[in-house]
Amino acid sequence: MDTQVLTADTYERVLAARRHQYEAAAERYVAALPQREAVERRTGRGMSLPDTESQLQARAEHLISGGALPMETVMSLASQEKPGRRLLERIIGASKDLQAVNFLSRGSRAAATVGRVSLLDNGRVLPLGTAFLVSPDLLMTNHHVLPDADMAARVVVEFGAETGIDNTPAQPASYRLLADFVPLVDEDLDFSLVRVGMGADGRPPGARFGWNRLIEAQGKLVIGESVNVVGHPSGRLKEIAIRRNELRVQLEDFLHYDTDTEPGNSGSPVFNDQWEVVALHHAGVARKDDQGRQLRRDGTPVQSGDPDDLVDWAANEGARVSRVVARLRTSLAGTARENVLGDLGLLPDTAPAALPATEGLPSRAAEAAPRRRGLRGRTGAFAGRGHLLFLHGRGQEKADPEHLRRSWTSGLNRGLTLAGLPTVDPVDVWLPFYGNRAAGTSGREALLADESALGFAPAAPPTDPTTRVLYEQLVREAAVKAGMPEELLTAEEAFSLPGGASGALRRSLAWLAARTDLDALFVSAVLGDVARYLDNRETRQAVLDAVRESVPDSGSLTIVAHSLGTVVAMDLLTQLDAAVDVRLLITVGSPLGLDSVYERLLAPTLRRPERVGRWDNVWCPADPVTIGCPLRPRWGGDLHESVVTNPREQAHSVHEYLAHPDVARAVARGLLP
């Protein structure tokens, strides 16, 4: 292992940066004392979750839509309490007090993503702090741990520096950071994002240890809930702080929580009980006396040379992950480094906090804008062996086709990298675009549907009578396939998420949300657009006409289709030029498992289309759009299927589907001679 010589200047920079962050955290702690005191007063009055009702509402919805509570539990609580704060507290309390048995296994999986950052100094390895993976090869830690490229070049990151089940220390795996990747840093929020090189096995660390998805949406934690911190305090083997840890204050950019950490925990992920990252830990706040002196646990002033475990830490502080994501969006969007957003699984165009980014038919607001067209692949791509075509789904009315092509390619390249295969240049990919194509002058619903019916506002069912019937049929069928009991379908009252339809329809949507990792508004939006496409002949043909503008007219073709795009792909196969050889069709996140969908295709053959050489269908059990998969029982055995596991709240993400090595290998197989 090559080493660097530690200079006094290098060491002083680390200490100065650390002192600066501790002082800033202490100032925020003093400024937030009135908030902390107000929380303590509410706690003293018996309020177990002393947060605002709006925060409790967001948290309850996040828990329900993420499947953290069985739907039966939610409905039982709703039958005992009237809507309001008490019901929200009961829902959150049930999640807080009763954990599923997989709490431990999921915690172990999350802890595996955490590594120890150490400085190489003339043959010595000196611990600096903690870091954690946020993509297969992107690592997050504090700015005061890795402030610049010079420091990044001097460190090593060790994963698996911990004791095994028999208390025997494991052999850690060491990685160096990529020298040609300039760290993305922010001193105010105290974060640094760096890229890790390949390991001895030729793979990025995430392929072995996994990674954490940075979730921008609100509702991950409320005051009074527990947090769990995993890190390397004082450079020791990996430890976890999991007892008597509670969030006490929420500031605009930071969280204050009570837990036992030490300076070596700088850069640790702060998890909620669902093992979602809620904050980046960066500083402890020491209790002080009237003279401003830091105090020991015994109440005496801290002396020079005292170890950190003698200090009386009043609170700990971490940067809110939602603010970190927002800062990354602001700094990266529209720059040469925008691809990092795709690597993090973040769509470049922001979506409302209440919803994950979705795919959908366009809004009327797009009608006045110039119509964007699809993109053709570069002539002679893939050594002239064939063409690769991406077919998008819903929600692209505001998208830039070139940006969309780069985003999809970024996900595919992540999977190709994990599979050890050459990556793809976005300009070689064909990307038809139907996001803002009008449907003609039919009196029925146009292709340019109103945004409020697509989930950007509280989701509403389609307004056209026949489309509404098909939409309800799709939702009901999906709920039944997801195991919803008949008595719930016919019940008169039940708990459901705010907004959207009512009665049995809302219960069906709530059931789907509880059985998967996406919320009811998202499910409503996707199935609503599928119904619009299938039920309106003019809409369907307008979409197909737009797609055909950017499809090769000859040669070998590999089609990768997602969501609503898989339905469009099936119809497209009936209209492609005979000179096009569809060598491979890959469908991901597809609703083709619903009878109500494939019965309305232009060619409902219930088998692999004859002109397709091979059909691979990929689905995720947590993706509500794939309810009804696997397809083989209905479509016949002449197709290939695989199941993947996508991160929570990204279960339907095309980027996540394409980032799986097996999916990427399948795409590469279609482009081979």
Side-chain angles (χ1 to χ4, degrees), residues 404-611:
L404 191 61
R405 179 166 66 172
R406 292 201 310 269
S407 178
W408 278 50
T409 306
S410 173
L412 174 61
N413 284 341
R414 182 63 51 211
L416 290 170
T417 299
L418 293 174
L421 296 170
T423 57
V424 169
D425 191 325
V427 299
D428 291 335
V429 178
W430 296 68
L431 189 130
F433 186 75
Y434 59 88
N436 57 354
R437 172 62 66 91
T441 58
S442 168
R444 305 176 67 199
E445 282 189 282
L447 175 59
L448 295 178
D450 183 75
E451 275 191 357
S452 65
L454 299 177
F456 293 97
T463 56
D464 182 87
T466 62
T467 305
R468 169 64 181 260
V469 169
L470 176 56
Y471 162 75
E472 293 189 358
Q473 185 176 339
L474 289 170
V475 173
R476 181 185 179 96
E477 181 186 346
V480 170
K481 287 181 179 291
M484 186 172 183
E486 180 65 28
E487 56 267 27
L488 294 184
L489 281 171
T490 57
E492 293 185 2
E493 299 292 340
F495 178 86
S496 57
L497 296 176
S502 59
L505 183 62
R506 293 187 71 190
R507 290 194 294 276
S508 298
L509 289 169
W511 181 270
L512 287 170
R515 285 293 180 267
T516 62
D517 282 339
L518 293 175
D519 65 29
L521 302 182
F522 176 84
V523 180
S524 175
V526 174
L527 296 183
D529 276 357
V530 170
R532 292 181 178 93
Y533 172 82
L534 291 173
D535 189 57
N536 189 313
R537 181 180 303 175
E538 292 83 0
T539 294
R540 174 181 283 185
Q541 194 56 53
V543 168
L544 292 173
D545 289 344
V547 169
R548 290 175 61 192
E549 290 179 1
S550 304
V551 172
D553 54 13
S554 64
S556 175
L557 180 63
T558 293
I559 300 175
V560 180
H562 174 242
S563 193
L564 173 62
T566 66
V567 182
V568 176
M570 284 297 172
D571 284 350
L572 177 66
L573 293 173
T574 68
Q575 301 189 7
L576 279 178
D577 193 293
V580 177
D581 173 24
V582 184
R583 182 175 183 181
L584 174 65
L585 170 66
I586 299 178
T587 52
V588 299
S590 176
L592 291 171
L594 298 177
D595 297 1
S596 304
V597 172
Y598 60 65
E599 287 173 355
R600 289 169 172 78
L601 297 174
L602 295 182
T605 58
L606 296 186
R607 64 179 183 275
R608 176 178 55 78
E610 293 181 358
R611 67 177 304 166

Side-chain angles (χ1 to χ4, degrees), residues 263-500:
N265 275 103
S266 292
S268 294
V270 181
F271 297 102
N272 62 14
D273 277 347
Q274 288 69 54
W275 297 103
E276 300 165 327
V277 181
V278 297
L280 168 65
H281 177 76
H282 82 128
V285 178
R287 203 175 302 280
K288 297 181 179 181
D289 61 17
D290 295 339
Q291 302 177 44
R293 297 175 300 180
Q294 294 185 351
L295 297 176
R296 295 172 172 171
R297 293 177 184 270
D298 61 7
T300 61
V302 171
Q303 303 298 317
S304 177
D306 279 349
D308 290 303
D309 58 3
L310 287 182
V311 178
D312 185 7
W313 299 103
N316 284 279
E317 182 181 80
R320 298 177 67 162
V321 72
S322 57
R323 302 303 299 163
V324 171
V325 171
R327 192 67 56 87
L328 285 170
R329 285 195 186 278
T330 301
S331 61
L332 295 177
T335 71
R337 308 184 76 182
E338 190 177 49
N339 65 302
V340 173
L341 293 175
D343 293 344
L344 292 170
L346 301 170
L347 294 179
D349 296 319
T350 58
L355 283 174
T358 60
E359 291 203 347
L361 301 176
S363 71
R364 288 193 177 92
E367 197 166 6
R371 183 167 66 83
R372 295 177 291 278
R373 296 181 178 275
L375 304 171
R376 300 172 65 85
R378 182 166 53 183
T379 302
F382 308 111
R385 294 191 296 265
H387 309 286
L388 174 60
L389 182 145
F390 292 155
L391 195 50
H392 70 77
R394 68 172 305 275
Q396 304 306 323
E397 67 279 1
K398 298 179 181 179
D400 174 4
E402 180 57 51
H403 203 127
L404 191 61
R405 179 166 66 172
R406 292 201 310 269
S407 178
W408 278 50
T409 306
S410 173
L412 174 61
N413 284 341
R414 182 63 51 211
L416 290 170
T417 299
L418 293 174
L421 296 170
T423 57
V424 169
D425 191 325
V427 299
D428 291 335
V429 178
W430 296 68
L431 189 130
F433 186 75
Y434 59 88
N436 57 354
R437 172 62 66 91
T441 58
S442 168
R444 305 176 67 199
E445 282 189 282
L447 175 59
L448 295 178
D450 183 75
E451 275 191 357
S452 65
L454 299 177
F456 293 97
T463 56
D464 182 87
T466 62
T467 305
R468 169 64 181 260
V469 169
L470 176 56
Y471 162 75
E472 293 189 358
Q473 185 176 339
L474 289 170
V475 173
R476 181 185 179 96
E477 181 186 346
V480 170
K481 287 181 179 291
M484 186 172 183
E486 180 65 28
E487 56 267 27
L488 294 184
L489 281 171
T490 57
E492 293 185 2
E493 299 292 340
F495 178 86
S496 57
L497 296 176

Side-chain angles (χ1 to χ4, degrees), residues 94-400:
S95 173
K96 177 183 177 182
D97 297 335
L98 186 63
Q99 294 294 336
V101 71
N102 67 2
F103 173 82
L104 298 176
S105 57
R106 292 176 68 183
S108 177
R109 182 177 64 184
T113 69
V114 178
R116 180 169 59 191
V117 180
S118 300
L119 189 69
L120 301 177
D121 173 40
N122 198 27
R124 296 182 301 166
V125 180
L126 306 176
L128 281 180
T130 301
F132 59 101
L133 289 165
V134 292
S135 89
D137 62 352
L138 286 173
L139 190 78
M140 180 162 284
T141 186
N142 291 143
H143 171 265
H144 77 259
V145 172
L146 291 179
D148 50 39
D150 178 60
M151 182 64 75
R154 296 168 177 262
V155 305
V156 63
V157 183
E158 299 171 288
F159 292 96
E162 57 194 71
T163 55
I165 195 169
D166 58 354
N167 284 327
T168 301
Q171 180 63 41
S174 298
Y175 294 79
R176 297 298 299 272
L177 304 183
L178 286 185
D180 59 354
F181 183 87
V182 179
L184 294 165
V185 300
D186 188 286
E187 186 174 0
D188 292 337
L189 292 178
D190 197 18
F191 73 78
S192 182
L193 188 68
V194 295
R195 198 177 290 280
V196 189
M198 298 295 179
D201 58 0
R203 300 187 301 164
R208 178 176 174 184
F209 299 102
W211 65 93
N212 303 282
R213 179 64 57 212
L214 296 182
I215 301 172
E216 187 174 12
Q218 302 294 312
K220 296 185 291 295
L221 197 67
V222 294
I223 294 172
E225 276 196 285
S226 300
V227 296
N228 310 302
V229 184
V230 181
H232 291 274
S234 299
R236 297 192 297 270
L237 295 179
K238 191 181 301 177
E239 298 177 6
I240 181 170
I242 200 170
R243 292 190 178 92
R244 297 187 300 276
N245 310 324
E246 287 188 355
L247 176 65
R248 307 309 299 169
V249 174
Q250 293 198 60
L251 304 178
E252 182 177 358
D253 293 332
F254 294 92
L255 301 179
H256 287 175
Y257 38 90
D258 297 334
T259 185
D260 291 326
T261 60
E262 297 177 22
N265 275 103
S266 292
S268 294
V270 181
F271 297 102
N272 62 14
D273 277 347
Q274 288 69 54
W275 297 103
E276 300 165 327
V277 181
V278 297
L280 168 65
H281 177 76
H282 82 128
V285 178
R287 203 175 302 280
K288 297 181 179 181
D289 61 17
D290 295 339
Q291 302 177 44
R293 297 175 300 180
Q294 294 185 351
L295 297 176
R296 295 172 172 171
R297 293 177 184 270
D298 61 7
T300 61
V302 171
Q303 303 298 317
S304 177
D306 279 349
D308 290 303
D309 58 3
L310 287 182
V311 178
D312 185 7
W313 299 103
N316 284 279
E317 182 181 80
R320 298 177 67 162
V321 72
S322 57
R323 302 303 299 163
V324 171
V325 171
R327 192 67 56 87
L328 285 170
R329 285 195 186 278
T330 301
S331 61
L332 295 177
T335 71
R337 308 184 76 182
E338 190 177 49
N339 65 302
V340 173
L341 293 175
D343 293 344
L344 292 170
L346 301 170
L347 294 179
D349 296 319
T350 58
L355 283 174
T358 60
E359 291 203 347
L361 301 176
S363 71
R364 288 193 177 92
E367 197 166 6
R371 183 167 66 83
R372 295 177 291 278
R373 296 181 178 275
L375 304 171
R376 300 172 65 85
R378 182 166 53 183
T379 302
F382 308 111
R385 294 191 296 265
H387 309 286
L388 174 60
L389 182 145
F390 292 155
L391 195 50
H392 70 77
R394 68 172 305 275
Q396 304 306 323
E397 67 279 1
K398 298 179 181 179
D400 174 4

Side-chain angles (χ1 to χ4, degrees), residues 576-658:
L576 279 178
D577 193 293
V580 177
D581 173 24
V582 184
R583 182 175 183 181
L584 174 65
L585 170 66
I586 299 178
T587 52
V588 299
S590 176
L592 291 171
L594 298 177
D595 297 1
S596 304
V597 172
Y598 60 65
E599 287 173 355
R600 289 169 172 78
L601 297 174
L602 295 182
T605 58
L606 296 186
R607 64 179 183 275
R608 176 178 55 78
E610 293 181 358
R611 67 177 304 166
V612 173
R614 176 184 169 110
W615 178 11
D616 285 18
N617 181 59
V618 185
W619 59 287
C620 172
D623 183 352
V625 182
T626 64
I627 295 294
C629 288
L631 303 179
R632 191 176 298 138
R634 285 298 189 93
W635 287 77
D638 198 14
L639 64 93
H640 304 267
E641 295 197 86
S642 57
V643 180
V644 298
T645 302
N646 291 337
R648 291 172 58 86
E649 296 198 357
Q650 298 289 327
H652 189 60
S653 166
V654 67
H655 191 280
E656 295 298 337
Y657 275 111
L658 294 177

